[in-house]
Amino acid sequence: MRIKLHNEFSKRLITSLILIFLLIVLLYIGNIGIYLMTTVLCFLSFFEINKLRKCKLKLQYFIPFVLFFYFFIKESGILNLGDQYLLLIFYALSSLLIIISLFQKTNIHFSIVGFLINSTFFSIIYIVSNHHLQYKLIFIIISIISLCDIFAYLIGKNFGKYKIFPKISPNKTIEGYLGGTFVTLFLFTLIFSYYNLKDLNLFLYLVIIIISSFIGDLYISFFKRKLKIKDSGKIFPGHGGVLDRIDSWFFTFPLSFLILI
């Protein structure tokens, strides 16, 4: 059992380090790197959705094309519209495509997941395009989510006894989640203190990110339970598919968008 857990953790750790390296490279490129990341992840996310539910409309091609077309219109300045109005138009267009393609009465969760994916990536684009923090805020949010996930996994595996929602996500424990939360809060409180950032709103925002990331993770676990699958894909060893890796983003970034706006 220990060997199995060790191998599983090693896979997760190596994959996480590779993803962190790729993220740093994209952030070094700047906003264009974030645009590239959203387009690629958008394609892979809807590709996994399409594998789970075959659709006539291949969203993995249409939604990234909508994003690419938005970037082209924005940078070229062809339409004399403000960035926010332009983003809203393309967001509405992509949401309409998702509803047309994924809506089904027997399992409305496909539409909800598609809507969450779309909202997440458009929220990221809004944050990058309309705030002076730009890609730095994206990096901070992903770092908070990743740290909380890593420590929750480690503490849960070693000390976890009480399951939070055993029927939805049997591997999540109260000890793991609380441990990951407090360690992440402690580390970022030290960082805030080092940079003399003592605004209570920052601490509250940190709490919101941690809670919303857990809700996103839990909801996708519920979605997979409904479909009777363990992982949405196998692209990331130790983590599963793209949806398994970015599920914590699905409420965090839209909520960040609402807070910022």
Side-chain angles (χ1 to χ4, degrees):
M1 179 63 73
R2 287 186 177 180
I3 294 174
K4 184 179 179 180
L5 290 175
H6 177 73
N7 290 336
E8 184 182 352
F9 176 70
S10 298
K11 285 182 181 180
R12 289 176 68 95
L13 181 61
I14 293 170
T15 303
S16 296
L17 291 174
I18 293 171
L19 292 175
I20 290 170
F21 174 74
L22 291 174
L23 179 62
I24 292 172
V25 171
L26 290 172
L27 292 172
Y28 181 77
I29 297 172
N31 289 0
I32 294 176
I34 297 297
Y35 293 153
L36 177 63
M37 179 189 76
T38 54
T39 305
V40 172
L41 288 179
C42 185
F43 170 80
L44 293 174
S45 298
F46 282 108
F47 178 77
E48 288 183 355
I49 290 291
N50 187 69
K51 284 176 65 179
L52 297 174
R53 180 180 183 270
K54 298 295 182 181
C55 304
K56 292 181 179 180
L57 188 65
K58 303 295 184 183
L59 291 174
Q60 66 265 35
Y61 301 115
F62 281 93
I63 305 301
F65 176 77
V66 170
L67 287 176
F68 178 79
F69 195 51
Y70 161 77
F71 298 143
F72 173 76
I73 296 293
K74 179 180 179 294
E75 296 299 326
S76 63
I78 294 174
L79 295 178
N80 190 21
L81 288 172
D83 287 346
Q84 294 185 22
Y85 292 109
L86 188 65
L87 192 65
L88 180 61
I89 291 170
F90 280 90
Y91 172 71
L93 175 61
S94 57
S95 296
L96 181 62
L97 289 173
I98 289 167
I99 292 171
I100 292 172
S101 179
L102 292 180
F103 179 76
Q104 59 177 158
K105 292 180 180 179
T106 54
N107 192 347
I108 197 172
H109 296 288
F110 276 105
S111 296
I112 295 174
V113 172
F115 179 75
L116 287 173
I117 295 170
N118 196 46
S119 299
T120 295
F121 293 131
F122 272 92
S123 296
I124 291 172
I125 294 167
Y126 173 84
I127 293 169
V128 169
S129 302
N130 294 281
H131 288 273
H132 67 280
L133 285 172
Q134 298 180 321
Y135 59 88
K136 299 180 186 71
L137 181 56
I138 306 298
F139 181 75
I140 291 169
I141 293 172
I142 295 176
S143 298
I144 293 169
I145 294 172
S146 299
L147 276 175
C148 190
D149 181 58
I150 290 169
F151 284 112
Y153 176 82
L154 289 174
I155 295 170
K157 286 293 183 184
N158 289 284
F159 306 103
K161 292 182 179 179
Y162 299 99
K163 308 294 184 181
I164 300 179
F165 296 101
K167 291 184 179 180
I168 297 176
S169 186
N171 293 325
K172 289 182 175 60
T173 63
I174 295 175
E175 295 87 349
Y177 178 67
L178 291 178
T181 299
F182 284 117
V183 171
T184 305
L185 286 173
F186 175 72
L187 289 175
F188 272 86
T189 299
L190 291 179
I191 293 170
F192 291 160
S193 299
Y194 178 79
Y195 287 102
N196 201 28
L197 300 172
K198 298 179 181 179
D199 190 346
L200 180 62
N201 290 330
L202 281 174
F203 188 81
L204 292 175
Y205 181 51
L206 182 59
V207 173
I208 289 171
I209 290 174
I210 292 172
I211 294 174
S212 59
S213 67
F214 174 73
I215 294 172
D217 190 356
L218 194 65
Y219 179 72
I220 295 302
S221 295
F222 170 74
F223 173 68
K224 289 185 293 186
R225 286 282 169 184
K226 294 280 287 185
L227 298 176
K228 298 179 180 178
I229 59 172
K230 183 179 183 294
D231 296 318
S232 62
K234 298 180 180 179
I235 191 171
F236 298 130
H239 292 275
V242 174
L243 295 180
D244 301 309
R245 182 63 272 176
I246 66 170
D247 51 10
S248 302
W249 300 12
F250 291 163
F251 288 93
T252 303
F253 281 108
L255 276 174
S256 298
F257 160 76
L258 292 174
I259 291 169
L260 290 171
I261 202 170

